[in-house]
Amino acid sequence: MDIPAGLTESAFFKLLGCRLHSLETGVAQVALGLEPQLRNRGGKLHGGALFSLVDIAMGLACSSTHGFDQQSATIECKINYIRAVSDGEVMCTARVIHPGRRTLVVEADVMQGDKLVAKAQGTFAVL
């Protein structure tokens, strides 16, 4: 996939420490390591960081579907399952399951190795 420079990594993407693993039409994989600044008071991966990872991966999957020349906005994003993460790295794989002209429906799984960390669903509007 040929993507203009700078369109896959926002300032927030970099601030969190995300790493783009792969990007194909309708599918994005984004990794996030558990760094000290991403921990909650209990020492686990903060839920906000996990949610942001999911939203970033879903947004990239949408952009790879409708084109990076268009923008999309999150209408709804919900995490249906979540498990605590104490160390290592997690990988979010987001897939567009309904590529409509005006809205896209996306599913995402966050894995740590072979263990499921989170499952999410989202709806995005093409602007």
Side-chain angles (χ1 to χ4, degrees):
M1 172 171 283
D2 197 20
I3 304 163
L7 292 182
T8 59
E9 297 180 0
S10 68
F12 188 61
F13 177 103
K14 293 175 185 176
L15 180 68
L16 280 176
C18 292
R19 183 177 47 84
L20 182 61
H21 182 71
S22 67
L23 185 61
E24 300 173 19
T25 303
V27 181
Q29 285 191 310
V30 179
L32 181 65
L34 182 55
E35 300 298 329
Q37 69 273 16
L38 300 179
R39 293 179 184 273
N40 62 21
R41 291 178 301 185
K44 310 294 185 198
L45 179 62
H46 192 283
L50 183 66
F51 185 87
S52 294
L53 170 65
V54 167
D55 192 50
I56 287 168
M58 286 181 168
L60 286 169
C62 289
S63 292
S64 70
T65 298
H66 59 61
F68 281 85
D69 58 331
Q70 295 187 45
Q71 293 182 338
S72 57
T74 307
I75 296 173
E76 177 185 29
C77 184
K78 62 181 177 178
I79 294 180
N80 299 320
Y81 169 81
I82 191 168
R83 180 179 67 77
V85 177
S86 299
D87 57 11
E89 180 177 84
V90 294
M91 177 76 70
C92 180
T93 302
R95 291 178 187 80
V96 173
I97 59 170
H98 174 73
R101 287 183 340 134
R102 292 291 190 197
T103 60
L104 298 101
V105 179
V106 187
E107 289 184 342
D109 292 330
V110 181
M111 304 291 290
Q112 185 177 38
D114 62 348
K115 294 181 182 173
L116 182 65
V117 171
K119 287 190 79 57
Q121 293 177 328
T123 306
F124 289 73
V126 178
L127 304 178

